[in-house]
Amino acid sequence: MSNRKSGILLHISSLPSPYGIGDFGPEAYKFADFLFNTKQGAWQVLPFSPTDPVFGNCPYNSISACACNTLFISPDLLAKEGYINKKDLASKPEFPKNKCDYSNAGLYKQKLFEAAYQKFKSRKINHDGFEKFCFENSYWLDDFSLFVFIKRNYKGKIWYEWPDSLKSRDKNVLSNITYEYKGELEKEKFLQYIFFRQWISLRNYCNNRNIKLIGDVPIYVCYDSVDVWKNHELFNLDESQKPVTVAGVPPDYFSATGQLWGNPVFRWDVLKNTNYKWWIDRIAHNLKLFDKIRIDHFRGFEGYWEVPAGETTAINGRWVKAEGADFFRVITEKFSDRPFIAEDLGVITDDVREVMKQFNLPGMRVLLFAFGDDNQDNPYLPRNFIENCVVYTGTHDNNTVKGWFKNEACQKEKERLFHYLGHKAGLKNVHLEFIRLAMESIADTVIFPMQDILGLGSESRMNKPSTTKGNWEWRLSPEQITKDIAGRLLKMTEICGRGKS
């Protein structure tokens, strides 16, 4: 029973905050206290990558695989650390409380960031720590700061449309920019440093309370990213450096036409010849931030769905073999404690299962998928769980349990659910029934989206795949965590043997 634990999925953006988006400030510590007081052993978040309004602020589409979203920097902590004055916070506009306002939060925080950087330069606050951070992270930080600066100066143009000398990364030209615009580049590095300081402080606070932090690593990167700009050879690009094929998934539960993600796919032969250095660096960086990482779209390491560039849906694609077994042989030798969770949802073949079994990697089980058919071997039915898996009521891509029950589940699905429970459930309590099913299961770890802990409906879902508007905006309000909700979660956690000793 010692490995049994439960936890909550809540992205940083969804935390309460007076600044238009969740951050690492006081409310983050209050949420950590809520986890501790209810004996939760894990806090899972979504990718920390910088987001872009062009991609609907999706954390799975970013300009960098290693850089972090500076919108999560807390103004309150900046003031506490002496980087800004409290009076700098006085001009805060009114932000909505129940959803993220990425645009206005960004505009407001940029002014604070400029003031913080100017004070850092003049007073050399924590300068030694900054220099150490820059040295240890130079392998990604130097190119990231260049990429952001150049992109800003070319009004957001994709790197492919930059002048040839920049597109091809002419060393002399980049050296001149680094020398001439040192201050601008240093500011970008400074903000990453501040993010790192604030997050590590919060992570330590959680770890000291036996709460593990679970991060999320997307398998792919955007074409318009520093990673592709710097590493053309790792991706399936043509001679002019444009994608030949792009990533997606075939038609499935989420979409009848599949999901066309549009990311360039890897050249696994080239990655293999480098002993997967780019991936090793990326994973090592994420493990500086988290205790464990969920690897998104795990089956893409064994075989991936590629679609010719220019297609408008993912229907006309094909499966291509990757390097799953060899890749994880190298990765698990490097990271011997194997701090990974494999996102193995969707069409999973025997070769993918064999890789997971060979390297003892826990997969995912989603209860919302358990009652769609009469198949008693359905892997999402609790009776078929194994210990080495992570159970979710739903993920960031699913509706909430209440939303599913009200708007998506047909009568047959509801009847199967009732039959499995041994009694009927209603809209008022169906989320609690799902939580109990997960808690009582044999699985070592169970994770619940905060929306399901609160019993919220479709209006509170985080993301609706294949849509571009209204996603990634949901936020928690402090008053939603009542004593009754906390007490009920604590009691169920203890009864099911998942509370920390």
Side-chain angles (χ1 to χ4, degrees):
M1 300 285 282
S2 61
N3 291 327
R4 289 172 64 82
K5 62 176 173 289
S6 57
I8 292 178
L9 168 62
L10 181 77
H11 195 36
I12 302 302
S13 63
S14 295
L15 286 166
S17 165
Y19 303 107
I21 189 171
D23 59 39
F24 299 142
E27 291 292 342
Y29 287 83
K30 289 181 182 179
F31 184 73
D33 289 340
F34 164 73
L35 294 174
F36 176 72
N37 292 332
T38 56
K39 296 191 176 182
Q40 303 307 296
W43 179 357
Q44 183 169 337
V45 295
L46 302 183
F48 273 0
S49 311
T51 57
D52 192 321
V54 172
F55 298 110
N57 297 299
C58 173
Y60 294 87
N61 286 286
S62 182
I63 60 172
S64 174
C66 287
C68 295
N69 192 342
T70 55
L71 286 178
F72 298 162
I73 292 174
S74 164
D76 292 318
L77 295 184
L78 281 177
K80 183 178 179 180
E81 294 167 349
Y83 289 107
I84 59 175
N85 299 318
K86 287 189 176 180
K87 66 180 182 180
D88 293 326
L89 305 177
S91 59
K92 179 182 71 68
E94 286 296 318
F95 290 109
K97 293 183 179 181
N98 61 349
K99 72 174 186 176
C100 296
D101 187 349
Y102 289 91
S103 178
N104 288 318
L107 291 172
Y108 171 70
K109 288 192 174 184
Q110 281 303 322
K111 296 176 183 177
L112 300 181
F113 294 162
E114 182 62 34
Y117 176 62
Q118 293 304 325
K119 185 168 286 190
F120 164 77
K121 279 205 310 181
S122 63
R123 299 188 183 180
K124 301 293 183 183
I125 305 173
N126 296 319
H127 192 266
D128 289 345
F130 171 71
E131 291 292 333
K132 181 182 179 184
F133 173 81
C134 290
F135 175 77
E136 292 177 347
N137 295 275
S138 60
Y139 65 95
W140 66 267
L141 188 59
D142 291 348
D143 285 293
F144 171 73
S145 60
L146 272 169
F147 187 86
V148 171
F149 173 78
I150 296 169
K151 192 172 181 65
R152 184 183 301 126
N153 276 270
Y154 283 94
K155 302 185 186 306
K157 282 187 177 181
I158 189 172
W159 64 263
Y160 180 82
E161 298 175 353
W162 295 350
D164 287 342
S165 60
L166 296 175
K167 175 181 170 181
S168 62
R169 293 176 53 83
D170 183 285
K171 289 183 179 180
N172 291 330
V173 174
L174 295 184
S175 293
N176 289 337
I177 293 175
T178 300
Y179 176 77
E180 187 172 354
Y181 298 99
K182 179 181 178 181
E184 291 291 324
L185 302 181
E186 186 180 71
K187 179 184 172 185
E188 296 301 330
K189 296 177 182 180
F190 167 75
L191 294 178
Q192 291 296 313
Y193 168 65
I194 292 298
F195 179 104
F196 187 84
R197 275 178 56 89
Q198 291 193 359
W199 169 247
I200 293 302
S201 176
L202 178 59
R203 177 186 171 180
N204 290 340
Y205 186 85
C206 291
N207 285 172
N208 288 337
R209 287 153 181 77
N210 293 323
I211 301 165
K212 301 297 184 183
L213 279 301
I214 304 174
D216 197 326
V217 176
I219 182 173
Y220 293 119
V221 297
C222 284
Y223 176 62
D224 189 20
S225 68
V226 61
D227 304 278
V228 179
W229 178 57
K230 182 182 178 182
N231 305 287
H232 299 155
E233 71 284 356
L234 300 183
F235 302 90
N236 191 21
L237 310 180
D238 62 22
E239 292 181 357
S240 66
Q241 298 174 0
K242 297 198 76 173
V244 177
T245 54
V246 295
V249 292
D252 60 8
Y253 173 91
F254 294 112
S255 174
T257 58
Q259 297 179 48
L260 185 63
W261 298 333
N263 310 81
V265 297
F266 294 109
R267 289 188 58 192
W268 281 99
D269 57 334
V270 178
L271 283 167
K272 185 174 182 177
N273 287 338
T274 66
N275 208 33
Y276 311 107
K277 182 180 184 306
W278 181 85
W279 265 106
I280 288 174
D281 289 344
R282 185 184 184 191
I283 291 174
H285 176 71
N286 273 274
L287 290 175
K288 293 178 184 177
L289 300 171
F290 306 106
D291 300 296
K292 287 182 177 290
I293 52 176
R294 187 194 84 129
I295 301 179
D296 193 43
H297 193 55
F298 179 85
R299 72 107 55 241
F301 291 95
E302 182 63 24
Y304 56 92
W305 187 257
E306 70 169 14
V307 182
E311 291 283 332
T312 57
T313 74
I315 293 176
N316 296 320
R318 64 168 188 155
W319 289 109
V320 180
K321 185 71 173 174
E323 293 287 345
D326 187 65
F327 174 74
F328 279 99
R329 175 188 62 79
V330 174
I331 294 301
T332 53
E333 286 176 0
K334 180 70 176 178
F335 307 100
S336 57
D337 55 342
R338 305 182 185 191
F340 309 117
I341 299 169
E343 186 273 284
D344 58 341
L345 307 177
V347 179
I348 301 300
T349 53
D350 289 341
D351 53 355
V352 179
R353 294 189 185 95
E354 182 57 36
V355 170
M356 294 179 62
K357 181 179 179 181
Q358 180 180 349
F359 298 101
N360 197 32
L361 301 175
M364 293 174 56
R365 303 291 186 271
V366 178
L367 281 174
L368 285 178
F369 299 160
F371 307 103
D373 55 41
D374 279 320
N375 179 14
Q376 293 304 302
D377 294 325
N378 185 329
Y380 303 111
L381 280 172
R383 61 181 285 178
N384 297 321
F385 291 170
I386 59 175
E387 289 183 26
N388 189 32
C389 73
V390 184
V391 174
Y392 298 78
T393 47
T395 73
H396 62 273
D397 281 334
N398 293 114
N399 208 333
T400 66
V401 169
K402 272 194 173 181
W404 169 84
F405 189 82
K406 181 179 180 180
N407 302 315
E408 296 178 10
C410 66
Q411 188 58 36
K412 285 287 187 182
E413 287 176 292
K414 292 180 180 179
E415 288 174 2
R416 293 184 196 111
L417 169 63
F418 301 157
H419 181 72
Y420 198 89
L421 293 173
H423 57 265
K424 287 189 175 182
L427 188 62
K428 184 177 180 180
N429 71 331
V430 67
H431 63 295
L432 299 178
E433 297 286 2
F434 270 69
I435 291 171
R436 183 181 59 80
L437 282 175
M439 283 281 202
E440 291 180 345
S441 75
I442 194 175
D444 286 336
T445 304
V446 297
I447 302 286
F448 311 107
M450 191 62 193
Q451 295 95 316
D452 286 341
I453 295 292
L454 300 175
L456 302 179
S458 296
E459 73 285 350
S460 300
R461 72 182 292 175
M462 193 63 167
N463 179 48
K464 189 174 184 180
S466 300
T467 65
T468 57
K469 294 183 179 180
N471 297 317
W472 319 109
E473 294 182 355
W474 178 77
R475 290 179 69 198
L476 172 70
S477 297
E479 61 272 13
Q480 287 180 297
I481 303 180
T482 64
K483 289 184 178 179
D484 286 345
I485 286 173
R488 185 167 57 211
L489 178 59
L490 172 60
K491 184 176 181 179
M492 195 179 299
T493 303
E494 291 179 328
I495 289 173
C496 295
R498 296 187 180 275
K500 303 182 302 295
S501 58

